[in-house]
Amino acid sequence: MTRTAHPLTSPGKQMLSEQVYAHLRDAIMRGDHAPGDALKPQDIAKEQGVSLAVVREALVRLVGEGLADRLPNRGFAVPAFSDRRWQEIAEARRTIEPVVLRMSIERGDVDWEARVRAAHHRLARTPAFVPEDGEYYSSAWSEAHRVFHRTLLEGCGNPVLLETFDRMWTASELARRWAAQRDPDRDAVGEHRRLEEAALARDADTAAEVLARHLTLTAAALTGSSRQAKEVL
Amino acid sequence: MTRTAHPLTSPGKQMLSEQVYAHLRDAIMRGDHAPGDALKPQDIAKEQGVSLAVVREALVRLVGEGLADRLPNRGFAVPAFSDRRWQEIAEARRTIEPVVLRMSIERGDVDWEARVRAAHHRLARTPAFVPEDGEYYSSAWSEAHRVFHRTLLEGCGNPVLLETFDRMWTASELARRWAAQRDPDRDAVGEHRRLEEAALARDADTAAEVLARHLTLTAAALTGSSRQAKEVL
DNA sequence: ATAACACGGATAATCGATTATTTGTCGAAT
DNA sequence: ATTCGACAAATAATCGATTATCCGTGTTAT
């Protein structure tokens, strides 16, 4: 039955593939599936109540962002990160983010300063762990963490560099889900505080150094032993 | 009629969506379509002799790589780059590539040295322009140019950083197609030669500086006037 | 006993057709 | 003459079904 023309653009409606994409992305990032698990279009289509075409589109997008693997004629799967891959991602972040942070600190305006303050404040008062979630970071903390690191860089004013950050962050978080158990000795809170202080003081040298160290320590904590951290430092 | 099972994996066969994807990517990168032109799935499907599903999959992949724009319920289009966007891409390259080049020079082995030599040699003896192609760079030169710049960075040994290069290079070349007329005063040949020399001499400081200048000059040449180049330098 | 081959189930890839949305146009009311 | 709204073409999004491919299993020949 065709209903009469909409008086105004129907508000809540968006593409099904978009919804399925977001759902799968969140599920994968949340770690709902084990690495290597098959993502079967038919099963997903049935449980989401949509056709294969929309699931397929969502999966293809996921592959493009590194959130799914594809083997031709073999289907899609949750990506499995090797330790080597994880280290490469961490190194890439160490290489690029301090440079962008410098640019950000040199260029950021007062609005950026305010956003940095707000992001750090939010991060500092969000608990990283909630008892019932076991060893995993709470999703609220993960999001606050991402926003803080991104905000630090946003002063650079270059969307292309921020896109690069987004891609690496996604890969980094995905790998962290599975490479990881937390290192209780880490003082990430203090590192974040020092980052904020250096950024707001416009001390690019210190900020870049602290960020590089922060990323190194994080990477070392996630590869199990803290031996590597001491070596690098 | 179903034919009997293959004695061995049929050799030339690959996914249709892959072929269509490659075809569209090449066409867009070659500049066959004007920026902003609609990419109509139906037309493409008909001229390629495939169904809508495979065209759609190819287009979704293209969007993921920034080689097509998508407006929900409005279809796909060849991306139109603003001058601002082009400058952002160029700045991102200036920011990241010199840093990666340093790492590459510090780490590259003798095999890398040989590949740099070969890539530069190939670039130097490939003509940048062929008369019948008007003002556009020849596709052979474009490819040799890409390989040279990529090879310079490959010594870093980090696939994640190289993926980042690939994405930025693609965006850069796409923008160049349309932002661009060449600046006859440019001595890109000399810049490339100095890059090779500094890299092989393991002079990371000089190489990074030459690369930054090279990217600045290229960007300035493509935004029309060479005024900006002089300012930045 | 082993290795190569053929069958069959499961699932990926593709297709043809249906449904939904947008946009331009035409006409009526002001 | 201008604006608002309904109609109609174009085309994007989705669906259900078909075809092709892979892989495990069982069979047969050596």
Side-chain angles (χ1 to χ4, degrees):
Chain A
M1 172 54 58
T2 87
R3 52 183 163 177
T4 62
H6 284 299
L8 39 87
T9 54
S10 56
K13 210 54 166 302
Q14 73 180 331
M15 287 193 300
L16 288 179
S17 60
E18 183 67 27
Q19 302 173 225
V20 174
Y21 161 80
H23 178 267
L24 286 174
R25 174 174 49 72
D26 293 346
I28 292 171
M29 290 293 279
R30 196 180 321 133
D32 289 355
H33 311 281
D37 269 12
L39 294 166
K40 301 185 183 180
Q42 295 206 18
D43 297 352
I44 298 168
K46 191 170 295 180
E47 79 185 36
Q48 296 290 320
V50 296
S51 76
L52 287 177
V54 322
V55 175
R56 199 150 242 281
E57 174 171 331
L59 286 169
V60 168
R61 286 180 57 188
L62 258 357
V63 170
E65 295 173 26
L67 285 169
D69 284 345
R70 182 178 195 176
L71 305 96
N73 289 320
R74 297 284 312 282
F76 302 85
V78 177
F81 284 77
S82 65
D83 224 56
R84 175 180 187 77
R85 169 79 178 167
W86 157 251
Q87 288 173 344
E88 288 163 353
I89 293 166
E91 180 182 76
R93 292 191 57 194
R94 282 201 303 276
T95 306
I96 291 177
E97 291 185 26
V99 182
V100 179
L101 180 59
R102 279 180 184 281
M103 187 182 303
S104 183
I105 286 173
E106 286 162 10
R107 295 185 182 177
D109 55 17
V110 290
D111 177 62
W112 168 76
E113 283 185 13
R115 295 212 316 282
V116 168
R117 254 186 275 270
H120 180 259
H121 184 253
R122 175 181 164 202
L123 176 62
R125 50 177 287 124
T126 303
F129 301 96
V130 291
E132 49 273 24
D133 282 6
E135 287 300 303
Y136 294 123
Y137 294 89
S138 73
S139 61
W141 185 84
S142 290
E143 178 60 10
H145 189 214
R146 185 187 70 80
V147 169
F148 173 65
H149 275 272
R150 192 184 203 276
T151 304
L152 276 176
L153 305 185
E154 280 173 3
C156 77
N158 188 319
V160 178
L161 290 171
L162 293 175
E163 281 170 33
T164 301
F165 167 83
D166 290 339
R167 288 184 71 83
M168 294 195 305
W169 182 272
T170 297
S172 187
E173 285 296 290
L174 184 55
R176 157 184 285 177
R177 279 278 166 236
W178 299 104
Q181 66 277 21
R182 58 173 166 144
D183 179 345
D185 292 337
R186 279 294 303 294
D187 178 23
V189 175
E191 291 163 27
H192 288 142
R193 182 176 45 74
R194 282 193 290 281
L195 263 178
E196 187 214 15
E197 286 170 359
L200 295 180
R202 305 285 176 165
D203 183 348
D205 288 342
T206 300
E209 189 190 336
V210 171
L211 179 56
R213 183 171 303 219
H214 175 61
L215 294 172
T216 300
L217 288 169
T218 301
L222 294 189
T223 49
S225 76
S226 54
R227 173 179 50 78
Q228 298 178 42
K230 288 168 191 146
E231 282 179 9
V232 175
L233 291 179
Chain B
M1 173 49 58
T2 87
R3 52 183 165 180
T4 63
H6 284 299
L8 39 87
T9 54
S10 55
K13 209 56 165 303
Q14 70 179 334
M15 287 194 301
L16 289 178
S17 60
E18 182 68 26
Q19 302 173 226
V20 174
Y21 162 79
H23 178 266
L24 285 174
R25 174 173 50 73
D26 292 347
I28 292 170
M29 289 293 279
R30 197 180 316 122
D32 288 357
H33 311 280
D37 269 12
L39 294 167
K40 301 186 184 180
Q42 296 204 24
D43 297 353
I44 298 168
K46 191 171 295 182
E47 79 185 38
Q48 296 289 321
V50 296
S51 75
L52 287 178
V54 322
V55 175
R56 201 148 240 281
E57 174 171 333
L59 287 169
V60 168
R61 287 180 56 187
L62 257 358
V63 169
E65 295 174 27
L67 285 168
D69 284 345
R70 182 178 195 176
L71 306 96
N73 289 319
R74 299 282 310 283
F76 303 85
V78 177
F81 284 76
S82 64
D83 223 56
R84 174 179 187 78
R85 168 81 178 166
W86 156 251
Q87 287 173 344
E88 288 164 353
I89 293 165
E91 180 183 76
R93 292 191 57 193
R94 281 201 305 275
T95 305
I96 291 176
E97 291 184 29
V99 182
V100 179
L101 180 59
R102 278 179 185 280
M103 186 182 304
S104 182
I105 286 173
E106 287 161 10
R107 295 186 181 176
D109 56 15
V110 290
D111 177 64
W112 168 75
E113 283 184 13
R115 296 211 317 281
V116 168
R117 255 186 275 271
H120 181 258
H121 184 253
R122 175 181 164 203
L123 175 62
R125 51 176 287 124
T126 302
F129 301 96
V130 292
E132 50 272 25
D133 283 4
E135 287 301 304
Y136 294 123
Y137 293 90
S138 74
S139 61
W141 185 85
S142 290
E143 178 60 10
H145 188 214
R146 185 187 70 80
V147 169
F148 174 65
H149 275 272
R150 192 184 203 277
T151 303
L152 277 175
L153 305 185
E154 281 172 2
C156 78
N158 188 318
V160 179
L161 290 171
L162 293 174
E163 281 170 33
T164 301
F165 167 82
D166 289 340
R167 288 184 70 84
M168 294 195 306
W169 182 272
T170 297
S172 186
E173 285 297 290
L174 185 55
R176 158 185 282 176
R177 280 280 166 232
W178 299 105
Q181 65 277 21
R182 58 174 166 141
D183 178 345
D185 292 337
R186 280 291 305 294
D187 179 24
V189 175
E191 292 163 27
H192 287 143
R193 183 178 44 71
R194 283 193 291 279
L195 263 178
E196 186 215 15
E197 287 171 358
L200 295 180
R202 305 284 177 167
D203 183 348
D205 288 342
T206 300
E209 188 190 338
V210 171
L211 179 56
R213 183 170 303 218
H214 176 61
L215 293 173
T216 300
L217 288 168
T218 301
L222 294 188
T223 49
S225 76
S226 54
R227 173 180 49 78
Q228 299 177 38
K230 288 168 190 144
E231 280 178 10
V232 175
L233 291 178

